[in-house]
Amino acid sequence: MKKLVLTFALIAVTQITFAQDAFKNDVKRLVEVSGSTAQIDVAKKQIITMIPEAKQAEFLKEFDATMPSYFQKFYDFYMKEYTHEDVKAMLKFYDSPVGKKINSKAGPMAELTISAAQTWGTELQGILMKYMQQ
């Protein structure tokens, strides 16, 4: 009887682990197809221009080494806030023609967002200065 219970427990743990791995793999795919990696690529292109060319390769190694912990925060968030079924539904959307189009435009959208935020920040700074003066 002990062996039967132990075998059942082992099978249950294996199934739970397999389900968690499948969930995490789907979350990783979702982060990629939703455009998050494209946004990082845009940021990397902007940042690399500030680094002397002779140091860029070494910088990129260190930059890329920070990515797993950065993306782990996204994975943890999705796995906490959404069910595996939610993530599968999101993936289904991103596999659709519209979802693929959104993903293909993530880089240009990130570039536009950065540019618009910089312009807006400059405008806002002028407004802030106007109201901060005594």
Side-chain angles (χ1 to χ4, degrees), residues 33-36 38-39 42 101-111:
V33 300
S34 66
S36 295
Q39 293 171 5
V42 168
K101 186 174 184 178
I102 288 172
N103 186 24
S104 74
K105 302 297 181 186
M109 178 56 90
E111 290 174 0

Side-chain angles (χ1 to χ4, degrees), residues 27-93:
V27 166
K28 286 179 178 181
R29 185 167 166 256
L30 177 62
V31 168
E32 186 175 319
V33 300
S34 66
S36 295
T37 57
Q39 293 171 5
I40 292 298
D41 291 341
V42 168
K44 186 192 293 188
K45 278 191 232 175
Q46 285 195 333
I47 293 168
I48 198 71
T49 63
M50 297 180 236
I51 307 295
E53 193 171 331
K55 296 180 180 181
Q56 287 180 1
E58 192 63 30
F59 168 79
L60 288 174
K61 285 181 194 174
E62 289 190 46
F63 181 95
D64 291 342
T66 67
M67 290 294 91
S69 64
Y70 174 79
F71 282 114
Q72 185 62 49
K73 290 171 180 58
F74 286 85
Y75 307 152
D76 293 343
F77 176 84
Y78 276 101
M79 292 179 78
K80 178 182 173 201
E81 299 296 328
Y82 300 100
T83 67
H84 194 178
E85 293 307 311
D86 292 335
V87 171
K88 287 178 182 180
M90 288 182 240
L91 285 170
K92 187 175 180 179
F93 166 75

